[in-house]
Amino acid sequence: MDQFAKLPGIGQKTAERLVFYLLKRSPEELMEFASALAHLKDKISVCRECYNYSESNPCPICVDQKRDKRLLCIVSKPQDLLVLEKTSEYQGVYHVLGGLIDPLNGVTPQQLRIRELIERIKRYRAQEVILAFNSDMPGETTVLYLTKLLKQFPNLKITRLAQGLPLGSDLEYTDEVTLTNALRGRREL
Amino acid sequence: MDQFAKLPGIGQKTAERLVFYLLKRSPEELMEFASALAHLKDKISVCRECYNYSESNPCPICVDQKRDKRLLCIVSKPQDLLVLEKTSEYQGVYHVLGGLIDPLNGVTPQQLRIRELIERIKRYRAQEVILAFNSDMPGETTVLYLTKLLKQFPNLKITRLAQGLPLGSDLEYTDEVTLTNALRGRREL
């Protein structure tokens, strides 16, 4: 129970429930779970190209011939890459920064994989980088920083995810900043 | 209590609370409230230009010389106009359609102020119409219908509010449709 309770979002009560559930399972099932846990770090490595977690190195996305290597989508963490992949919309490759610039929490540009990004942009002759960050303070700070930095590449197109109305939104209950972004970014039909 | 309980979002319990509150107020205060209610419909009319509610006719927005009359923002209802006004971003005028096309709930284009819209586009020589609807089924249906209809004006720019990430959104918890819209609508920096 103590082990489960250390995990994020799992309290004492949930930990109890999980352990009681496991007590009813077969020894084989428990062994399988234990083995997956024990070997997690052996099997999963960080892709040397994009820095995503992967069982192979480079990861399947980076070796995929159908992916456009001149299109780089920059994300903060592997979880964000995963949700973008789920859309099946994106056909380029990724670059995991390893965080967002957040001076209040002590995260400076030096701690992120920005040198590696510059190196990849040069090596891939990237045509476009898409800044795909959360729409919050660290996200905005990182957009500003990277935009300024990447302007050194005159032929590189720098884009960011559209800001506006999410699916199912009701204008009446939409905050003013989102509405302002939606108005400014309005799209021709 | 019965009168209050008829209002949207007010149940029997809230109605009780409101009436007990009113019982403690002075007769003058009650009279003021009663008078405001009684004269609500005398004082507020529908603007003959944009169909927004207003105490004057045409409404203050339609008579404002600083407003660009060749820019028309089409909204479903007066509440949506109000939130757009709060952004202080928009400098054109509005057109309140009076609903959105919603066949499942029996709302057809004939019930909306579309004839009036066409007439205003011609009279104002509108250069752009912005479709500012909720990001849901009736909103999308109305966008499709109006886009097709308004293509008859070759010099009219038809735009819609940007769809994408709202303020404060976390990529990890963003739905796939919103992410796809954010990727497709990405903006150059």
Side-chain angles (χ1 to χ4, degrees):
Chain A
M1 284 180 204
D2 290 345
Q3 296 298 329
F4 276 115
K6 283 182 202 165
L7 301 176
I10 296 189
Q12 207 56 48
K13 201 72 199 164
T14 310
E16 270 176 44
R17 200 163 44 79
L18 294 174
V19 172
F20 281 118
Y21 169 84
L22 289 174
L23 283 170
K24 288 193 192 162
R25 304 267 69 77
S26 70
E28 290 75 29
E29 275 183 83
L30 291 182
M31 198 50 89
E32 228 175 288
F33 191 176
S35 162
L37 263 177
H39 300 294
L40 182 64
K41 291 281 248 182
D42 316 339
K43 287 204 174 153
I44 304 291
S45 60
V46 169
C47 172
R48 65 173 175 260
E49 286 292 312
C50 71
Y51 303 95
N52 185 21
Y53 291 127
S54 167
E55 290 193 38
S56 57
N57 195 349
C59 75
I61 296 173
C62 285
V63 296
D64 188 341
Q65 293 294 325
K66 290 195 293 291
R67 294 279 185 153
D68 183 357
K69 291 226 170 15
R70 290 162 310 171
L71 178 58
L72 264 177
C73 181
I74 310 176
V75 294
S76 158
K77 52 188 191 300
Q79 293 96 307
D80 296 347
L81 187 159
L82 208 66
V83 290
L84 283 163
E85 275 303 284
K86 278 190 193 148
T87 66
S88 312
E89 172 71 17
Y90 182 63
Q91 294 303 322
V93 293
Y94 295 92
H95 184 84
V96 180
L97 269 189
L100 293 171
I101 302 169
D102 188 2
L104 293 177
N105 289 307
V107 186
T108 62
Q110 287 71 41
Q111 289 160 265
L112 307 178
R113 299 192 192 97
I114 292 176
R115 220 180 41 234
E116 293 86 339
L117 171 65
I118 301 284
E119 185 272 320
R120 285 184 77 196
I121 290 173
K122 286 180 185 161
R123 183 154 49 89
Y124 289 11
R125 291 182 195 170
Q127 294 182 329
E128 179 180 351
V129 290
I130 304 170
L131 308 180
F133 306 140
N134 291 345
S135 180
D136 57 9
M137 208 48 180
E140 292 302 316
T141 311
T142 313
V143 163
L144 283 176
Y145 182 89
L146 287 181
T147 306
K148 214 171 151 187
L149 186 76
L150 299 179
K151 288 282 185 201
Q152 64 176 284
F153 298 104
N155 298 319
L156 182 67
K157 193 169 156 189
I158 308 163
T159 59
R160 68 177 295 171
L161 294 183
Q163 296 169 288
L165 302 177
L167 181 73
S169 68
D170 192 322
L171 278 190
E172 216 183 318
Y173 303 106
T174 302
D175 67 278
E176 291 170 26
V177 177
T178 300
L179 266 181
T180 301
N181 285 333
L183 261 172
R184 288 191 187 155
R186 63 184 184 267
R187 191 166 58 79
E188 193 159 353
L189 294 169
Chain B
M1 284 182 205
D2 291 345
Q3 296 298 328
F4 276 116
K6 283 182 201 164
L7 301 176
I10 296 188
Q12 205 57 45
K13 201 71 201 163
T14 310
E16 270 176 43
R17 201 162 45 77
L18 295 174
V19 171
F20 282 119
Y21 169 84
L22 288 173
L23 283 171
K24 289 192 193 163
R25 304 267 69 78
S26 69
E28 291 74 31
E29 275 184 82
L30 291 182
M31 197 48 90
E32 230 176 287
F33 191 177
S35 162
L37 264 177
H39 300 295
L40 182 64
K41 292 281 248 182
D42 316 339
K43 287 203 174 154
I44 305 292
S45 60
V46 170
C47 171
R48 65 173 177 259
E49 285 292 312
C50 71
Y51 303 96
N52 184 21
Y53 291 126
S54 168
E55 290 192 38
S56 57
N57 196 348
C59 74
I61 296 173
C62 284
V63 296
D64 188 341
Q65 293 293 325
K66 290 196 293 290
R67 294 279 185 152
D68 182 356
K69 292 229 170 14
R70 290 161 310 171
L71 178 58
L72 263 177
C73 181
I74 310 176
V75 293
S76 158
K77 52 190 192 300
Q79 292 96 307
D80 296 347
L81 187 159
L82 208 66
V83 291
L84 284 163
E85 275 303 284
K86 278 190 194 148
T87 66
S88 312
E89 173 71 18
Y90 182 63
Q91 294 303 322
V93 292
Y94 295 92
H95 185 84
V96 180
L97 268 189
L100 293 171
I101 302 170
D102 188 2
L104 293 178
N105 289 305
V107 186
T108 62
Q110 288 70 43
Q111 290 160 266
L112 307 177
R113 299 192 192 97
I114 292 176
R115 220 181 40 232
E116 292 86 340
L117 172 66
I118 301 284
E119 185 272 322
R120 285 183 78 195
I121 290 174
K122 286 181 185 161
R123 184 153 49 89
Y124 289 11
R125 290 181 197 174
Q127 293 182 330
E128 178 180 350
V129 289
I130 304 170
L131 308 181
F133 306 140
N134 290 345
S135 181
D136 58 8
M137 208 46 181
E140 291 303 315
T141 311
T142 313
V143 163
L144 284 175
Y145 182 89
L146 287 182
T147 307
K148 214 171 152 188
L149 185 76
L150 298 179
K151 288 283 184 201
Q152 64 175 283
F153 299 103
N155 298 319
L156 181 69
K157 194 169 157 189
I158 309 164
T159 60
R160 68 178 294 170
L161 294 183
Q163 296 168 290
L165 303 176
L167 181 73
S169 68
D170 191 323
L171 278 190
E172 217 182 317
Y173 302 106
T174 302
D175 67 278
E176 291 170 26
V177 177
T178 300
L179 265 182
T180 302
N181 285 332
L183 262 172
R184 287 191 188 155
R186 64 185 184 266
R187 191 166 59 81
E188 194 158 353
L189 294 168

